[in-house]
Amino acid sequence: MKQQTKTIFWALAAVMLLVLPLGLQLQGNAWVRIADMALLYVLLALGLNIVVGYAGLLDLGYVAFFAIGAYTFGLLNSPQLTDAFPAIAAMYPDGLHMPIWLVLPLAAGVAGVLGVLLGAPTLRLRGDYLAIVTLGFGEIIRVFLNNLDQPVNITNGPKGVSQIDSLSFFGLNLGKNVSFAGFEFASVSLYYYLFLTLVVFSIAISHRLELSRVGRAWMAIREDEIAAKAMGINTRNLKLLAFGMGATFGGVSGALFASFQGFISPESFSLMESVMIVAMVVLGGVGHLPGVILGAVLLSALPEVLRYVAGPLQELTGGRLDASILRQLLIALAMIIVMLLRPRGLWPSPEHGKSLQNMKS
């Protein structure tokens, strides 16, 4: 009976997720865009959860891989490189329009390689020191992209890359509305279904990793690295694997973000973005997939929902408080309250930290 109830629950949840964009479309495409961005942040949080949640490596520069994926897609699907390099323009007279089957693996691969390169010099670092190094790496990538318009204009510097192509496969262009079975699906709704498919696929990968020998080895390193090494676990290779796999998720998310927005700039990949992604993992429950998903959805959607709260509060103060600052204040207040009431996250893993509790008892 319990299994049947669980099956019915998941079936209803699947139906609700499938019809959600159609219902949100009635209120305007802005709400569908919020749902799209929430799914993108779920992808990012799932990737960071491999590094922070499974392996216990505090990474504050995760947004760098997000940026690498976005710029890889943007440069290969926009007029930026053909305008900067006449040789490329001669090779591609119709412009650079690389297929998704090439660009997505390339974005994932480039980000994964950079993840391993980041992990290599930090293998002996832990805790705060590792956080500082990864934070610096994230800022280096952002500054690098911001200044790579001289002497050769590759990234267009702070102006960003524009006119990025929408995703297109099997003759379906996600940048255009599509009518099917009497329903009109807006472009943002088509992206929603693509993001939802990739989120489900990523959840399956993360779940299998968690149950695998590699996942158990990561968790052993997270709980006690010295004991894990004494048991014969190759901590060096497993740490590099965690950095590489987490970065791969970030690269794919960045490519999807670039195609969805149609424009990218270094400002989209600031330190605050990294902090927010880490907060999603910690707020939801480190190492627990349902908690990570819940944290990502809440923290990505909460700022948009609080727009409707910050406006009336601004009017009550006679306009003395800026609505955007008030909105950030409300988000920070909500996070503080959650962390005080639920220090292990909104939906923590029943296994995470169990060894530490046994030691205390």
Side-chain angles (χ1 to χ4, degrees), residues 176-228:
K176 299 178 180 178
N177 296 354
V178 174
S179 296
F180 180 76
F183 292 97
E184 183 171 355
F185 294 87
S187 171
V188 287
S189 296
L190 297 177
Y191 270 103
Y192 171 89
Y193 289 116
L194 173 64
F195 294 168
L196 181 63
T197 302
L198 291 174
V199 164
V200 172
F201 184 64
S202 300
I203 291 172
I205 292 176
S206 297
H207 181 62
R208 295 308 304 169
L209 278 174
E210 183 179 0
L211 299 178
S212 68
R213 293 178 62 185
V214 172
R216 293 178 185 276
W218 279 336
M219 293 172 198
I221 295 172
R222 178 190 70 194
E223 297 296 340
D224 193 329
E225 184 178 347
I226 297 176

Side-chain angles (χ1 to χ4, degrees), residues 150-171:
Q150 296 291 338
V152 180
N153 186 10
I154 297 177
T155 64
N156 208 26
K159 297 178 183 178
V161 179
S162 58
Q163 302 180 48
I164 301 174
D165 296 342
S166 302
L167 284 177
S168 179
F169 51 92
F170 298 124

Side-chain angles (χ1 to χ4, degrees), residues 309-324 326:
V309 179
L313 287 178
Q314 184 187 26
E315 294 178 2
L316 289 176
T317 60
R320 287 187 292 272
L321 284 177
D322 183 72
S324 61
L326 188 58

Side-chain angles (χ1 to χ4, degrees), residues 7-8 65 81-82 89-90 127 143 167 178 183 197-198 203 206 226 228 242 245 253 293 319 330 358:
T7 303
I8 294 173
F65 310 119
L81 291 181
T82 53
V143 173
L167 284 177
V178 174
F183 292 97
T197 302
L198 291 174
I203 291 172
S206 297
I226 297 176
M245 290 205 67
S253 303
I293 295 168
L330 292 173
N358 293 336

Side-chain angles (χ1 to χ4, degrees), residues 64-194:
F65 310 119
F66 188 42
I68 291 299
Y71 270 87
T72 300
F73 185 93
L75 292 176
L76 294 178
N77 286 275
S78 73
Q80 178 61 33
L81 291 181
T82 53
D83 291 345
F85 299 96
I88 297 179
M91 293 172 59
Y92 297 94
D94 297 329
L96 270 174
H97 306 285
M98 295 297 175
I100 181 176
W101 316 114
L102 173 64
V103 181
L104 277 186
L106 183 61
V110 172
V113 169
L114 283 176
V116 173
L117 292 177
L118 167 65
T122 62
L123 291 175
R124 295 182 179 272
L125 301 178
R126 301 177 191 170
D128 301 339
Y129 301 102
L130 177 61
I132 291 171
V133 170
T134 54
L135 184 152
F137 176 78
E139 283 299 286
I140 286 172
I141 294 297
R142 184 186 63 81
V143 173
F144 182 71
L145 294 172
N146 199 48
N147 291 276
L148 205 58
D149 56 344
Q150 296 291 338
V152 180
N153 186 10
I154 297 177
T155 64
N156 208 26
K159 297 178 183 178
V161 179
S162 58
Q163 302 180 48
I164 301 174
D165 296 342
S166 302
L167 284 177
S168 179
F169 51 92
F170 298 124
L172 177 64
N173 188 347
L174 300 187
K176 299 178 180 178
N177 296 354
V178 174
S179 296
F180 180 76
F183 292 97
E184 183 171 355
F185 294 87
S187 171
V188 287
S189 296
L190 297 177
Y191 270 103
Y192 171 89
Y193 289 116
L194 173 64

